[in-house]
Amino acid sequence: MWYNTPAKKWTEALPVGNGMLGAMIFGDPSNELLQLNEATLWSGGPVKPNVNPKAPEYLMRTRELLLKNENYQDANKEASKMQGVYSQSFLPMADLKLKQDIGAVQFEQYLRDLSIDESMATVRFKANGVAYKREIIATAPGKAIVVRLSADKPGMINFFASVSSQLKGAVTADGNNGIIFKGKAPSQVDPNYIDYNSKPIRYDDGDCSGMRVAMQVRAVLKGGSVRSDTSGLKVKNADEVLLFICAATSFNGFDKCPVSEGKDEVKISNDNLLAVTRRPWKTLFTEHVADYSHYFTRVKFTLGSTSNVTNAKLPTNERLIGFSKGVTDPAFETLLYQYGRYLLISSSRPGGPPANLQGIWNASMRPPWSSNYTININTQMNYWPAAISNLEEMEYPLFKFINDLAITGKETAKDFYHMKGWVAHHNSDIWALSNPVGDLGKGDPKWANWYMAAPWLSRHLYEHYRFTQDKDFLKKAYPVMKGAAEFLVDYLVEDKNGYLVTAPSFSPENEYYDDKGKPANTSVATTMDMSIIRDHFRNCIEASEALKIDAAFRKLLQAKLAKLYPLHIGKAGNLQEWYKDWKDVEPHHRHVSHLFGLHPGREISPLINPDIAAASKKTLELRGDEGTGWSLAWKINFWARLLDGDHAYKLVRDLMRDLSVSKGGGLYPNLFDAHPPFQIDGNFGATSGITEMLLQSQLDELHLLPALPTAWANGKISGLKARGAFTVDMEWDAGKLKSALIRSGNGGNCIIRTSNKIHVDGVKQKVTKTGNGYLTTFLTSKGKVYKIMG
């Protein structure tokens, strides 16, 4: 990614990150700005218990209104009385400003770029006959952001560095070559959509809210001099400067008071700084690239040829506009794909918190939707590309978060519902908030009261097992999965026809017209609810069978599964979203939650239930192709699962539109996905969707090139992961598989589905022709590679 002008807006700046520290780099020659984040820096403190003791009373009233009276509007009012408090917000840490003396107002030969191969941002320019360069990395081994400033003539590095923050705090000198910012997070930050409090950002002393933060900036010079005071850090006549940025907070876990039980943020930051400043640039850079490449280079992806594509030679912002207007540029599509993987490695590393709604990059004290964990799809979507694009380790922070959420969620299940197991709702934060948000009745239940996050998140645990076959992991995950199922068992009730249903029930953020033509959103047995429950019960049953444990609970789930309210096809030929065949208030709504069973679930496929798959397709046609950024990304995955590569590709192109061209979601100049505003899940969902077009394994077979679009007639990809612990390399030509390599990570049977007949070298194989291509089955040995010819 490269640009020939500095960034003027945040959505033009370039991101670097190491999972804990993030920076947005603007690249102005004389006034550089690095906007900085630390992944654990959030407002608030540990969850307060039982904030709404009367909530269970309203559950019974709501159920009566729904199941007996069919009064959906009053049910909505009662459901709102079951709400707790809002989640907290992910916060900006500080701005580092570099006022660099380049001896002239004018500059030339300007270039700023982001190498996603090396995870490094670079700014180059020439002024007064001197060529200047800045190289910025966020090194995970070094636990720091490092800025290297250099020039092609000695003694030319002169700058003043200052730090400012929107948090309460102060900057002081840290010896003679550094500065330190010590700050405090607010105890409460209201979501950006709340406008009824006179003080939406509050600092309350005396409780366990408001963590501390420390950030240090230190310069190491070759030649020249440096001095620091409370205003900043001044460097004169240096040949080269390394600026080191380290930071830490007092966050010590979701259930620890960050004030009295917090970590020593100053010591952590200082220890990291002392360690990293001892190492020269070459060592730091080599270690950084080796660490990053260990993950990034696992997948290589090429489409067609770019040798004659003029658009590919343009700066990225201009290239995006050209692509938006219909130019063919296959390397731009593979760039966006790999950029999604880059962002995941940069914002989610083992030992840190999971990627939030903006990854780890945020400049606002009240960011859009609190930059929180929106767990009715967005957090889950962040991790859709993790396993399939060979980044399984990046999902470990999510697994830790799910374990935390299961602990608070157990209290929420008990306090809000008087039920067993654990439950989580629409929003969460670093404190693992699990209650229905809405500030005790001020939120609309269509989003605030949605309560199906536990089983949806738990499927990530089971999917990890399906990809890795790691039974030790499954043993640890199973109690969490079971807890989510126990809540659902308690929550299900019988309707008048004897089906097990959920009540109240929601299809996130959407509404319908009831039998009387009145708008409503609180319902019974929405398709999303029932699909999630079927998916989760099935996963729990399979997990208990794999572990050979818990036969009694397995039998209970099998009995419940048989009685669940089934899928229905509506009179328009669509998959019904609601309990009855009601019409949508907003027919083109961005959520398509009732297709959960198609993706990310595995209940619906043209290969197993063509009628339901056809109804799903009709649903997508009625919903339309427009949407916000993340919604377009989800639709790529849907169409890929419907095996319609050309339609999936259309949505790839729709998502890859500059906002000046797009009617809805699209991309900013720095290729961040636009809701709008920025939400990172669209980037991750796009990477997932493109992978699903090339490889699917949700049905326990390796479907090679299941939704290959006409536009991608030639290409190759290596390093994709499939369930069953297989790694897949493929090359195709003229729309047909040419060759493939399958690495078996665990041995066992391998079933491959292809459109054309294939041959596996050196093994006994069974080939079956089906209505959708060929199935080739063979036995694999652990660690062995199998060559396939098309």
mmCIF file of all heavy atoms in Angstrom, residues 458 461-463 465-466 471 474-475 477-479 481-482 535-550 554 557 602:
data_model
loop_
_atom_site.group_PDB
_atom_site.id
_atom_site.type_symbol
_atom_site.label_atom_id
_atom_site.label_comp_id
_atom_site.label_asym_id
_atom_site.label_seq_id
_atom_site.Cartn_x
_atom_site.Cartn_y
_atom_site.Cartn_z
ATOM 1 N N SER A 458 -19.228 -19.841 21.607
ATOM 2 C CA SER A 458 -18.752 -21.193 21.928
ATOM 3 C C SER A 458 -18.457 -22.011 20.676
ATOM 4 O O SER A 458 -17.622 -22.920 20.708
ATOM 5 C CB SER A 458 -19.785 -21.936 22.780
ATOM 6 O OG SER A 458 -19.884 -21.352 24.059
ATOM 7 N N LEU A 461 -14.893 -22.220 19.847
ATOM 8 C CA LEU A 461 -14.130 -23.222 20.589
ATOM 9 C C LEU A 461 -14.212 -24.579 19.883
ATOM 10 O O LEU A 461 -13.192 -25.259 19.691
ATOM 11 C CB LEU A 461 -14.665 -23.349 22.019
ATOM 12 C CG LEU A 461 -14.631 -22.087 22.876
ATOM 13 C CD1 LEU A 461 -15.359 -22.325 24.197
ATOM 14 C CD2 LEU A 461 -13.199 -21.628 23.127
ATOM 15 N N TYR A 462 -15.422 -24.954 19.502
ATOM 16 C CA TYR A 462 -15.573 -26.261 18.850
ATOM 17 C C TYR A 462 -14.953 -26.266 17.453
ATOM 18 O O TYR A 462 -14.361 -27.274 17.036
ATOM 19 C CB TYR A 462 -17.050 -26.667 18.790
ATOM 20 C CG TYR A 462 -17.211 -28.085 18.283
ATOM 21 C CD1 TYR A 462 -16.637 -29.142 18.978
ATOM 22 C CD2 TYR A 462 -17.896 -28.355 17.106
ATOM 23 C CE1 TYR A 462 -16.751 -30.452 18.511
ATOM 24 C CE2 TYR A 462 -18.015 -29.654 16.634
ATOM 25 C CZ TYR A 462 -17.435 -30.699 17.334
ATOM 26 O OH TYR A 462 -17.534 -31.988 16.866
ATOM 27 N N GLU A 463 -15.078 -25.175 16.742
ATOM 28 C CA GLU A 463 -14.468 -25.092 15.417
ATOM 29 C C GLU A 463 -12.949 -25.226 15.508
ATOM 30 O O GLU A 463 -12.317 -25.823 14.635
ATOM 31 C CB GLU A 463 -14.837 -23.769 14.742
ATOM 32 C CG GLU A 463 -16.253 -23.728 14.207
ATOM 33 C CD GLU A 463 -16.421 -24.554 12.935
ATOM 34 O OE1 GLU A 463 -16.107 -24.057 11.847
ATOM 35 O OE2 GLU A 463 -16.855 -25.722 13.037
ATOM 36 N N TYR A 465 -11.378 -27.053 17.550
ATOM 37 C CA TYR A 465 -11.151 -28.492 17.623
ATOM 38 C C TYR A 465 -11.323 -29.139 16.254
ATOM 39 O O TYR A 465 -10.528 -30.005 15.850
ATOM 40 C CB TYR A 465 -12.104 -29.145 18.634
ATOM 41 C CG TYR A 465 -12.139 -30.652 18.491
ATOM 42 C CD1 TYR A 465 -11.043 -31.431 18.885
ATOM 43 C CD2 TYR A 465 -13.233 -31.294 17.905
ATOM 44 C CE1 TYR A 465 -11.054 -32.813 18.719
ATOM 45 C CE2 TYR A 465 -13.254 -32.675 17.738
ATOM 46 C CZ TYR A 465 -12.157 -33.428 18.135
ATOM 47 O OH TYR A 465 -12.161 -34.781 17.958
ATOM 48 N N ARG A 466 -12.333 -28.731 15.516
ATOM 49 C CA ARG A 466 -12.571 -29.336 14.192
ATOM 50 C C ARG A 466 -11.388 -29.081 13.254
ATOM 51 O O ARG A 466 -11.045 -29.933 12.432
ATOM 52 C CB ARG A 466 -13.857 -28.787 13.575
ATOM 53 C CG ARG A 466 -15.120 -29.203 14.289
ATOM 54 C CD ARG A 466 -16.362 -28.725 13.550
ATOM 55 N NE ARG A 466 -16.582 -29.488 12.332
ATOM 56 C CZ ARG A 466 -17.262 -29.058 11.274
ATOM 57 N NH1 ARG A 466 -17.769 -27.836 11.259
ATOM 58 N NH2 ARG A 466 -17.435 -29.819 10.213
ATOM 59 N N LYS A 471 -7.666 -32.720 21.124
ATOM 60 C CA LYS A 471 -8.612 -33.161 22.157
ATOM 61 C C LYS A 471 -8.305 -32.570 23.522
ATOM 62 O O LYS A 471 -9.213 -32.404 24.346
ATOM 63 C CB LYS A 471 -8.655 -34.688 22.221
ATOM 64 C CG LYS A 471 -9.455 -35.292 21.078
ATOM 65 C CD LYS A 471 -9.765 -36.745 21.286
ATOM 66 C CE LYS A 471 -10.608 -37.248 20.113
ATOM 67 N NZ LYS A 471 -10.766 -38.704 20.116
ATOM 68 N N LEU A 474 -10.161 -29.447 23.492
ATOM 69 C CA LEU A 474 -11.606 -29.697 23.594
ATOM 70 C C LEU A 474 -12.015 -30.026 25.022
ATOM 71 O O LEU A 474 -13.086 -29.614 25.481
ATOM 72 C CB LEU A 474 -12.005 -30.818 22.633
ATOM 73 C CG LEU A 474 -13.518 -31.053 22.475
ATOM 74 C CD1 LEU A 474 -14.216 -29.817 21.920
ATOM 75 C CD2 LEU A 474 -13.787 -32.255 21.582
ATOM 76 N N LYS A 475 -11.152 -30.755 25.738
ATOM 77 C CA LYS A 475 -11.459 -31.079 27.142
ATOM 78 C C LYS A 475 -11.639 -29.815 27.973
ATOM 79 O O LYS A 475 -12.506 -29.730 28.833
ATOM 80 C CB LYS A 475 -10.319 -31.922 27.739
ATOM 81 C CG LYS A 475 -10.386 -33.394 27.416
ATOM 82 C CD LYS A 475 -9.177 -34.126 27.989
ATOM 83 C CE LYS A 475 -9.043 -35.502 27.350
ATOM 84 N NZ LYS A 475 -7.730 -36.108 27.634
ATOM 85 N N ALA A 477 -12.385 -26.827 26.695
ATOM 86 C CA ALA A 477 -13.469 -26.015 26.124
ATOM 87 C C ALA A 477 -14.854 -26.575 26.451
ATOM 88 O O ALA A 477 -15.826 -25.809 26.550
ATOM 89 C CB ALA A 477 -13.296 -25.928 24.605
ATOM 90 N N TYR A 478 -14.937 -27.882 26.628
ATOM 91 C CA TYR A 478 -16.255 -28.508 26.762
ATOM 92 C C TYR A 478 -17.090 -27.942 27.916
ATOM 93 O O TYR A 478 -18.290 -27.687 27.741
ATOM 94 C CB TYR A 478 -16.127 -30.029 26.880
ATOM 95 C CG TYR A 478 -17.474 -30.710 27.001
ATOM 96 C CD1 TYR A 478 -18.306 -30.838 25.893
ATOM 97 C CD2 TYR A 478 -17.937 -31.165 28.238
ATOM 98 C CE1 TYR A 478 -19.557 -31.422 26.010
ATOM 99 C CE2 TYR A 478 -19.184 -31.763 28.364
ATOM 100 C CZ TYR A 478 -19.993 -31.882 27.243
ATOM 101 O OH TYR A 478 -21.242 -32.447 27.352
ATOM 102 N N PRO A 479 -16.530 -27.725 29.108
ATOM 103 C CA PRO A 479 -17.373 -27.160 30.181
ATOM 104 C C PRO A 479 -17.971 -25.800 29.816
ATOM 105 O O PRO A 479 -19.095 -25.497 30.234
ATOM 106 C CB PRO A 479 -16.390 -27.039 31.356
ATOM 107 C CG PRO A 479 -15.334 -28.056 31.092
ATOM 108 C CD PRO A 479 -15.175 -28.072 29.597
ATOM 109 N N MET A 481 -18.701 -24.818 26.689
ATOM 110 C CA MET A 481 -19.756 -25.153 25.721
ATOM 111 C C MET A 481 -20.991 -25.686 26.446
ATOM 112 O O MET A 481 -22.127 -25.298 26.137
ATOM 113 C CB MET A 481 -19.240 -26.186 24.725
ATOM 114 C CG MET A 481 -18.131 -25.697 23.810
ATOM 115 S SD MET A 481 -17.381 -27.045 22.843
ATOM 116 C CE MET A 481 -18.785 -27.622 21.885
ATOM 117 N N LYS A 482 -20.761 -26.559 27.403
ATOM 118 C CA LYS A 482 -21.876 -27.154 28.134
ATOM 119 C C LYS A 482 -22.651 -26.088 28.910
ATOM 120 O O LYS A 482 -23.894 -26.108 28.942
ATOM 121 C CB LYS A 482 -21.363 -28.233 29.101
ATOM 122 C CG LYS A 482 -22.483 -28.909 29.875
ATOM 123 C CD LYS A 482 -21.969 -30.009 30.791
ATOM 124 C CE LYS A 482 -23.117 -30.661 31.547
ATOM 125 N NZ LYS A 482 -22.663 -31.780 32.413
ATOM 126 N N ASP A 535 -27.272 -25.580 16.105
ATOM 127 C CA ASP A 535 -25.828 -25.633 15.859
ATOM 128 C C ASP A 535 -25.081 -25.953 17.144
ATOM 129 O O ASP A 535 -24.201 -26.824 17.173
ATOM 130 C CB ASP A 535 -25.376 -24.279 15.291
ATOM 131 C CG ASP A 535 -23.896 -24.221 14.983
ATOM 132 O OD1 ASP A 535 -23.471 -24.820 13.977
ATOM 133 O OD2 ASP A 535 -23.151 -23.559 15.734
ATOM 134 N N HIS A 536 -25.458 -25.277 18.221
ATOM 135 C CA HIS A 536 -24.727 -25.454 19.474
ATOM 136 C C HIS A 536 -24.990 -26.827 20.099
ATOM 137 O O HIS A 536 -24.055 -27.482 20.581
ATOM 138 C CB HIS A 536 -25.093 -24.347 20.463
ATOM 139 C CG HIS A 536 -24.268 -24.388 21.705
ATOM 140 N ND1 HIS A 536 -22.899 -24.246 21.686
ATOM 141 C CD2 HIS A 536 -24.589 -24.620 23.013
ATOM 142 C CE1 HIS A 536 -22.418 -24.357 22.908
ATOM 143 N NE2 HIS A 536 -23.421 -24.586 23.725
ATOM 144 N N PHE A 537 -26.237 -27.270 20.092
ATOM 145 C CA PHE A 537 -26.537 -28.601 20.633
ATOM 146 C C PHE A 537 -25.780 -29.674 19.847
ATOM 147 O O PHE A 537 -25.232 -30.616 20.421
ATOM 148 C CB PHE A 537 -28.036 -28.871 20.595
ATOM 149 C CG PHE A 537 -28.824 -28.165 21.684
ATOM 150 C CD1 PHE A 537 -28.206 -27.304 22.578
ATOM 151 C CD2 PHE A 537 -30.193 -28.362 21.813
ATOM 152 C CE1 PHE A 537 -28.931 -26.655 23.581
ATOM 153 C CE2 PHE A 537 -30.927 -27.732 22.807
ATOM 154 C CZ PHE A 537 -30.296 -26.872 23.687
ATOM 155 N N ARG A 538 -25.748 -29.521 18.542
ATOM 156 C CA ARG A 538 -25.031 -30.484 17.696
ATOM 157 C C ARG A 538 -23.530 -30.483 18.042
ATOM 158 O O ARG A 538 -22.919 -31.551 18.163
ATOM 159 C CB ARG A 538 -25.244 -30.120 16.225
ATOM 160 C CG ARG A 538 -24.506 -31.004 15.243
ATOM 161 C CD ARG A 538 -24.734 -30.518 13.814
ATOM 162 N NE ARG A 538 -23.997 -31.310 12.846
ATOM 163 C CZ ARG A 538 -24.013 -31.075 11.542
ATOM 164 N NH1 ARG A 538 -24.736 -30.071 11.054
ATOM 165 N NH2 ARG A 538 -23.318 -31.819 10.704
ATOM 166 N N ASN A 539 -22.965 -29.297 18.215
ATOM 167 C CA ASN A 539 -21.547 -29.200 18.561
ATOM 168 C C ASN A 539 -21.260 -29.853 19.914
ATOM 169 O O ASN A 539 -20.254 -30.552 20.081
ATOM 170 C CB ASN A 539 -21.100 -27.735 18.588
ATOM 171 C CG ASN A 539 -21.084 -27.108 17.204
ATOM 172 O OD1 ASN A 539 -21.131 -27.816 16.195
ATOM 173 N ND2 ASN A 539 -21.025 -25.790 17.151
ATOM 174 N N CYS A 540 -22.145 -29.609 20.881
ATOM 175 C CA CYS A 540 -21.962 -30.205 22.217
ATOM 176 C C CYS A 540 -22.085 -31.722 22.165
ATOM 177 O O CYS A 540 -21.334 -32.443 22.842
ATOM 178 C CB CYS A 540 -22.980 -29.630 23.193
ATOM 179 S SG CYS A 540 -22.662 -27.918 23.649
ATOM 180 N N ILE A 541 -23.048 -32.214 21.388
ATOM 181 C CA ILE A 541 -23.230 -33.667 21.240
ATOM 182 C C ILE A 541 -21.973 -34.293 20.629
ATOM 183 O O ILE A 541 -21.444 -35.289 21.131
ATOM 184 C CB ILE A 541 -24.483 -33.966 20.371
ATOM 185 C CG1 ILE A 541 -25.757 -33.609 21.153
ATOM 186 C CG2 ILE A 541 -24.507 -35.422 19.928
ATOM 187 C CD1 ILE A 541 -27.006 -33.496 20.288
ATOM 188 N N GLU A 542 -21.480 -33.687 19.557
ATOM 189 C CA GLU A 542 -20.278 -34.208 18.887
ATOM 190 C C GLU A 542 -19.057 -34.139 19.816
ATOM 191 O O GLU A 542 -18.227 -35.061 19.841
ATOM 192 C CB GLU A 542 -20.004 -33.436 17.599
ATOM 193 C CG GLU A 542 -20.985 -33.736 16.485
ATOM 194 C CD GLU A 542 -20.642 -33.001 15.199
ATOM 195 O OE1 GLU A 542 -19.534 -32.430 15.088
ATOM 196 O OE2 GLU A 542 -21.496 -32.988 14.287
ATOM 197 N N ALA A 543 -18.950 -33.047 20.570
ATOM 198 C CA ALA A 543 -17.809 -32.890 21.478
ATOM 199 C C ALA A 543 -17.836 -33.953 22.568
ATOM 200 O O ALA A 543 -16.809 -34.562 22.894
ATOM 201 C CB ALA A 543 -17.817 -31.490 22.092
ATOM 202 N N SER A 544 -19.014 -34.213 23.137
ATOM 203 C CA SER A 544 -19.110 -35.225 24.201
ATOM 204 C C SER A 544 -18.818 -36.623 23.648
ATOM 205 O O SER A 544 -18.230 -37.463 24.330
ATOM 206 C CB SER A 544 -20.487 -35.176 24.873
ATOM 207 O OG SER A 544 -21.483 -35.734 24.043
ATOM 208 N N GLU A 545 -19.210 -36.852 22.385
ATOM 209 C CA GLU A 545 -18.902 -38.140 21.746
ATOM 210 C C GLU A 545 -17.397 -38.280 21.509
ATOM 211 O O GLU A 545 -16.818 -39.351 21.760
ATOM 212 C CB GLU A 545 -19.658 -38.263 20.414
ATOM 213 C CG GLU A 545 -21.149 -38.503 20.594
ATOM 214 C CD GLU A 545 -21.932 -38.408 19.288
ATOM 215 O OE1 GLU A 545 -21.439 -37.797 18.318
ATOM 216 O OE2 GLU A 545 -23.051 -38.953 19.250
ATOM 217 N N ALA A 546 -16.770 -37.206 21.026
ATOM 218 C CA ALA A 546 -15.322 -37.245 20.761
ATOM 219 C C ALA A 546 -14.539 -37.485 22.043
ATOM 220 O O ALA A 546 -13.527 -38.199 22.039
ATOM 221 C CB ALA A 546 -14.872 -35.941 20.098
ATOM 222 N N LEU A 547 -15.022 -36.903 23.157
ATOM 223 C CA LEU A 547 -14.329 -37.040 24.442
ATOM 224 C C LEU A 547 -14.785 -38.269 25.232
ATOM 225 O O LEU A 547 -14.216 -38.578 26.285
ATOM 226 C CB LEU A 547 -14.556 -35.779 25.289
ATOM 227 C CG LEU A 547 -13.965 -34.478 24.732
ATOM 228 C CD1 LEU A 547 -14.441 -33.281 25.546
ATOM 229 C CD2 LEU A 547 -12.440 -34.533 24.698
ATOM 230 N N LYS A 548 -15.872 -38.897 24.721
ATOM 231 C CA LYS A 548 -16.452 -40.074 25.407
ATOM 232 C C LYS A 548 -16.841 -39.749 26.852
ATOM 233 O O LYS A 548 -16.507 -40.478 27.793
ATOM 234 C CB LYS A 548 -15.479 -41.260 25.369
ATOM 235 C CG LYS A 548 -15.173 -41.766 23.967
ATOM 236 C CD LYS A 548 -14.255 -42.995 23.995
ATOM 237 C CE LYS A 548 -14.102 -43.630 22.636
ATOM 238 N NZ LYS A 548 -13.533 -42.756 21.601
ATOM 239 N N ILE A 549 -17.556 -38.627 27.001
ATOM 240 C CA ILE A 549 -18.008 -38.195 28.328
ATOM 241 C C ILE A 549 -19.462 -37.719 28.257
ATOM 242 O O ILE A 549 -20.004 -37.503 27.166
ATOM 243 C CB ILE A 549 -17.132 -37.046 28.897
ATOM 244 C CG1 ILE A 549 -17.160 -35.826 27.950
ATOM 245 C CG2 ILE A 549 -15.708 -37.502 29.142
ATOM 246 C CD1 ILE A 549 -16.564 -34.566 28.542
ATOM 247 N N ASP A 550 -20.070 -37.551 29.416
ATOM 248 C CA ASP A 550 -21.330 -36.816 29.572
ATOM 249 C C ASP A 550 -22.481 -37.386 28.743
ATOM 250 O O ASP A 550 -23.226 -36.650 28.103
ATOM 251 C CB ASP A 550 -21.095 -35.344 29.214
ATOM 252 C CG ASP A 550 -21.816 -34.404 30.174
ATOM 253 O OD1 ASP A 550 -22.481 -34.902 31.098
ATOM 254 O OD2 ASP A 550 -21.711 -33.179 29.989
ATOM 255 N N ARG A 554 -25.717 -35.500 26.840
ATOM 256 C CA ARG A 554 -25.810 -35.675 25.382
ATOM 257 C C ARG A 554 -27.205 -36.158 25.003
ATOM 258 O O ARG A 554 -27.828 -35.662 24.059
ATOM 259 C CB ARG A 554 -24.752 -36.682 24.925
ATOM 260 C CG ARG A 554 -24.674 -36.883 23.428
ATOM 261 C CD ARG A 554 -23.856 -38.112 23.074
ATOM 262 N NE ARG A 554 -22.691 -38.249 23.925
ATOM 263 C CZ ARG A 554 -22.096 -39.397 24.177
ATOM 264 N NH1 ARG A 554 -22.571 -40.535 23.667
ATOM 265 N NH2 ARG A 554 -21.037 -39.460 24.964
ATOM 266 N N LEU A 557 -29.715 -33.359 25.258
ATOM 267 C CA LEU A 557 -29.641 -32.439 24.119
ATOM 268 C C LEU A 557 -30.241 -33.056 22.862
ATOM 269 O O LEU A 557 -30.894 -32.359 22.070
ATOM 270 C CB LEU A 557 -28.185 -32.031 23.860
ATOM 271 C CG LEU A 557 -27.502 -31.174 24.921
ATOM 272 C CD1 LEU A 557 -26.126 -30.727 24.443
ATOM 273 C CD2 LEU A 557 -28.339 -29.951 25.301
ATOM 274 N N ARG A 602 -23.535 -24.674 9.734
ATOM 275 C CA ARG A 602 -23.368 -25.720 8.707
ATOM 276 C C ARG A 602 -24.669 -26.495 8.509
ATOM 277 O O ARG A 602 -24.674 -27.638 8.046
ATOM 278 C CB ARG A 602 -22.233 -26.665 9.113
ATOM 279 C CG ARG A 602 -22.352 -27.191 10.539
ATOM 280 C CD ARG A 602 -21.235 -28.155 10.900
ATOM 281 N NE ARG A 602 -21.212 -28.394 12.342
ATOM 282 C CZ ARG A 602 -20.864 -29.548 12.889
ATOM 283 N NH1 ARG A 602 -20.545 -30.578 12.127
ATOM 284 N NH2 ARG A 602 -20.831 -29.677 14.189
#
